[in-house]
Amino acid sequence: MDFLEIEWNSNLYRQEIELRDRLLRAPLGLSFTSEELEEESAEFHFVLVENGEVCACAVIVPICNDEVKLRQMAVTEHRQRQGLGTNLIRQIESTLVKRGIQKIQLNAREKAIPFYQRLGYQTVGDPFMEVGITHWKMHHHLVDC
Ligand SMILES: CC(C)(COP(=O)(O)OP(=O)(O)OC[C@H]1O[C@@H](n2cnc3c(N)ncnc32)[C@H](O)[C@@H]1OP(=O)(O)O)[C@@H](O)C(=O)NCCC(=O)NCCS
């Protein structure tokens, strides 16, 4: 299992989009627009690859010098609950610490909250609606790790 930071619009990026579309968008009746994908050229794309297949992904958006937002976290269906999500987040966090990042924020779907809580992320404030489903804002201080 390889942990990679991949280039926007590369072959692996296109696999990342297929995974995100299947896991995060299609179930909600949504799809990516070309404008949304263009905007992602300024973001950082991290994946786990096994036998040439992207099994897990997450996107990191810079917020300021020492803070980022994690979005679009997904693990392929047949590999869920096998530690891949935990593995990917931990490797992203150690990469970000080396870049001087101290805090990660994210908007978690309600179903994913136990996953992030187990990794030390805490909910902040009240739930809100995004893409038609309930989300909670969560954050994690990497310096506290
Ligand atoms: C949420 C997701 C990223 C978790 O990745 P994963 O590789 O399955 O998670 P892990 O195997 O690392 O899970 C670690 C722990 O988190 C918790 N956890 C993970 N998924 C969970 C779920 N669906 N319900 C409750 N707890 C969960 C469990 O405590 C789990 O440990 P256990 O399996 O020993 O009980 C993955 O299930 C996924 O892609 N889901 C669909 C897309 C999605 O909802 N993405 C998040 C958007 S905010």
Side-chain angles (χ1 to χ4, degrees):
M1 182 79 57
D2 294 319
F3 168 70
L4 300 173
E5 181 170 2
I6 61 170
E7 294 288 327
W8 180 79
N9 229 5
S10 61
N11 285 338
L12 287 174
Y13 175 77
R14 282 185 277 280
Q15 274 198 50
E16 177 202 316
I17 296 301
E18 280 173 28
L19 177 64
R20 289 165 47 194
D21 187 49
R22 201 171 69 242
L23 271 288
L24 297 168
R25 292 295 167 114
L28 303 177
L30 301 171
S31 57
F32 293 108
T33 64
S34 50
E35 290 78 13
E36 282 174 323
L37 297 182
E38 282 289 327
E39 283 173 17
E40 295 197 349
S41 62
E43 300 174 354
F44 303 103
H45 299 267
F46 293 95
V47 293
L48 291 179
V49 177
E50 188 174 53
N51 300 324
E53 183 201 347
V54 171
C55 302
C57 66
V59 179
I60 294 293
V61 186
I63 301 290
C64 62
N65 277 351
D66 63 357
E67 182 171 353
V68 298
K69 181 173 183 177
L70 184 145
R71 55 184 287 271
Q72 297 285 292
M73 169 86 209
V75 174
T76 196
E77 298 88 334
H78 66 282
R79 296 293 259 125
Q80 288 179 10
R81 298 302 283 265
Q82 296 168 40
L84 270 69
T86 300
N87 177 349
L88 180 61
I89 293 235
R90 289 302 188 220
Q91 298 212 62
I92 290 173
E93 287 173 350
S94 60
T95 301
L96 294 174
V97 164
K98 289 180 196 137
R99 296 180 189 179
I101 302 301
Q102 297 185 4
K103 188 174 170 186
I104 300 184
Q105 59 166 272
L106 56 86
N107 294 343
R109 295 180 181 201
E110 201 155 38
K111 275 171 63 179
I113 286 182
F115 165 71
Y116 293 115
Q117 279 175 331
R118 214 177 97 152
L119 288 163
Y121 289 69
Q122 293 177 329
T123 55
V124 192
D126 296 320
F128 58 94
M129 297 301 281
E130 194 175 79
V131 290
I133 51 176
T134 305
H135 281 73
W136 289 77
K137 189 163 281 298
M138 301 188 84
H139 70 183
H140 183 46
H141 288 275
L142 295 176
V143 286
D144 293 342
C145 290

